Amino acid sequence: MRDGTDSLRVGLAGFGQSGRAVAEALVAGKVPGVALSVVSARDLEKARAHLDTFAPEVPVVPLAQLADHCDLVVEAATGAAIPEIVDAVTRKGRELICVSAGGFLAVPDLEELARCHGARVQIATGAMPGLDMLRSAAEGTIHRVHLKCRIKPGSLANEAYVLQQGLDFRNDPPREQVKVFEGTAADAARAFPRHLNVAVAISLAGIGFERTTIELWMDPDIPGAIHQLEIEGDEIGLSLESRNLPSSNPKTSRIVAPSILAALRGRLAPILVGS
């Protein structure tokens, strides 16, 4: 499926802030051997207008046609779009790199679907520390995986789960930290599918959704999301913290687009770092 230049042809599903940043980087040649070949988005006309400013030769197509024009698809949309994107890509046997892993819970047969059609799905996880170590520890015995997330109130105040708990900070943000959730990763991802992609990633890398525990806090005194990961096992104990900075869209971490580019770079790199 490579073109005449032997570039890895990438299709982009989603053209928000992160998607545009990835597209601009690929068009500028920042990942050698990887080329942007096609884009799809919820609003095709808006995507076409923006793409025309720096890559008018790249086609914009409906999602159902995206996989016909590329070797690999990058998802830069939302968790709600994951089922449709997964179906459109994996059924055509293409590779898929995702960032909105929270949407995976709506595709319970994802592994079977990918295997049946010869597809492969990867989660790009630049926002979450320690996943290589977690995957390695999972080859032995892990007793506990716990993630504490602190997120700015503005990102959580309108979420239905928060309001259902009687926590209304839409007009008056809290002045100190407030816990809004504690429970399993499965329940966390269902309650906060846009915010806890990291909960899905660590569950898949480690001991599963029901044994992985999550705390979620509103914190008015941080510039961006902070994730604190704790692992206890026979082979290793681990405590790690990541401090994410917001992009121009305050609901998206700045590291999302670089994590996609790093995943694409790894596809062609002659030396790979990480297990």
Side-chain angles (χ1 to χ4, degrees), residues 189-233:
R190 292 188 188 99
F192 301 96
R194 294 191 304 111
H195 298 89
L196 289 178
N197 296 314
V198 291
V200 173
I202 65 172
S203 298
L204 292 172
I207 55 177
F209 291 99
E210 297 302 333
R211 292 180 60 201
T212 301
T213 55
I214 308 292
E215 286 181 55
L216 181 60
W217 294 71
M218 286 184 180
D219 189 337
D221 299 319
I222 55 175
I226 295 178
H227 302 303
Q228 296 168 293
L229 177 64
E230 296 181 1
I231 303 169
E232 296 175 7

Side-chain angles (χ1 to χ4, degrees), residues 73-135:
V73 172
V74 166
E75 173 271 318
T78 64
I82 283 290
E84 186 180 6
I85 292 172
V86 164
D87 187 72
V89 175
T90 59
R91 289 187 184 279
K92 294 187 178 181
R94 297 294 185 269
E95 293 186 63
L96 176 63
I97 294 177
C98 293
V99 293
S100 304
F104 282 6
L105 291 180
V107 193
D109 60 343
L110 175 60
E111 185 173 355
E112 180 182 350
L113 186 64
R115 183 181 291 112
C116 177
H117 295 282
R120 185 170 183 263
V121 180
Q122 177 182 354
I123 302 173
T125 53
M128 189 66 249
L131 286 173
D132 270 352
M133 195 167 288
L134 177 56
R135 288 174 55 228

